[in-house]
Amino acid sequence: MGLFKRFIGQTRKPEGFFGKLMLNAMNQGHAALSDWGLSHIEGLSPLVIAELGCGGGRNVRELLRRYPMAKLYAVDYSALAVCRTRAYNKPDIVKGRCRVLKASVQSLPLAASRFDFATAFETVYFWPDLAECFAEVYRILKCGGSFLICNESDGTDAEGLRYERIIDGMHCYTAEELETLLRTAGFSKVQVFRHETKPWLTVLAKNKGTSKRSRKKGRSSR
């Protein structure tokens, strides 16, 4: 259990040798889940995207492929994840289509009301003060912007709850919990999608106006 727990614990903040293994596993193991989550986006043509908790960088590449006119900012608080994402997406970085930043979702170094689309794949389990983090996502989105959350656990499945007990700081949220927190942050339209045979969960939230905490934290993107 010792080595297994050390490895699984890397899902929170990949570091060192086990962190490298975990990032590779994320890129391969989460692809089907991420693509399923993105299948619920219709008619979206974002020009500026934020990929939050970018991990190994596979979803950054996929978003850039799906939206060839877009520019993307990838964010992670793991230095190792930032390095891996930069290496994985070097061609698009060189072209100026992608920037990768080391930062916490609680305090994003991104400008207010700039982004059309934000994504969070397999990551909100570990975000501290989720209501505060969701308010930050709301802050950076334009009016009418979309926020996509995609989780492998719906907060009730046995396997997800088992990992929750093993991994420090992990919480598997239910759809109801996520919707309540998103609406508290200011999102006015929230859609929930569930996989037919797996406990996969996608939540799509829309920014429909100015948040209560407003755009007062108007940082500029680097």
Side-chain angles (χ1 to χ4, degrees):
M1 176 63 80
L3 286 178
F4 175 73
K5 186 174 181 179
R6 283 179 62 190
F7 175 67
I8 292 298
Q10 293 296 320
T11 54
R12 182 180 182 184
K13 187 178 183 181
E15 296 174 317
F17 173 74
F18 284 108
K20 292 178 182 178
L21 293 178
M22 178 55 72
L23 290 172
N24 289 334
M26 287 177 177
N27 278 351
Q28 297 174 23
H30 294 166
L33 169 71
S34 300
D35 292 346
W36 172 78
L38 287 170
S39 72
H40 298 96
I41 303 297
E42 295 181 0
L44 195 66
S45 300
L47 295 178
V48 189
I49 301 170
E51 218 290 81
L52 307 174
C54 57
R58 181 267 177 190
N59 291 328
V60 170
R61 180 184 290 181
E62 179 61 19
L63 287 162
L64 289 169
R65 184 191 70 78
R66 287 174 181 249
Y67 303 111
M69 302 303 293
K71 183 171 182 179
L72 187 147
Y73 290 77
V75 177
D76 206 292
Y77 80 149
S78 161
L80 186 62
V82 167
C83 289
R84 176 60 174 151
T85 296
R86 285 174 177 163
Y88 200 81
N89 294 279
K90 186 174 180 180
D92 284 308
I93 292 172
V94 171
K95 292 175 187 176
R97 293 193 63 207
C98 177
R99 298 193 68 182
V100 187
L101 308 174
K102 182 179 182 297
S104 167
V105 183
Q106 276 186 299
S107 185
L108 293 168
L110 303 172
S113 307
R114 181 174 182 189
F115 292 80
D116 305 295
F117 188 35
T119 59
F121 298 96
E122 282 285 274
T123 182
V124 299
Y125 313 120
F126 308 109
W127 289 7
D129 194 342
L130 201 57
E132 182 75 8
C133 291
F134 283 173
E136 266 292 86
V137 179
Y138 190 96
R139 179 186 67 81
I140 68 170
L141 286 174
K142 295 177 181 177
C143 182
S146 301
F147 177 33
L148 179 76
I149 299 168
C150 190
N151 290 348
E152 196 168 24
S153 169
D154 64 6
T156 65
D157 61 299
E159 186 174 15
L161 295 175
R162 180 169 74 90
Y163 283 119
E164 183 182 80
R165 291 191 294 270
I166 295 172
I167 302 171
D168 292 338
M170 180 178 185
H171 182 75
C172 296
Y173 294 91
T174 65
E176 293 75 19
E177 288 174 320
L178 291 172
E179 180 170 359
T180 296
L181 289 164
L182 286 163
R183 292 189 182 279
T184 298
F187 291 93
S188 58
K189 182 179 180 182
V190 180
Q191 294 175 279
V192 174
F193 305 92
R194 299 177 187 274
H195 195 277
E196 291 181 358
T197 60
K198 301 176 182 179
W200 292 0
L201 179 68
T202 288
V203 179
L204 181 64
K206 293 274 188 178
N207 175 333
K208 289 295 185 181
T210 304
S211 69
K212 286 178 280 188
R213 71 196 297 244
S214 187
R215 315 296 180 174
K216 63 182 179 180
K217 296 175 67 179
R219 307 181 186 93
S220 59
S221 355
R222 292 182 285 166

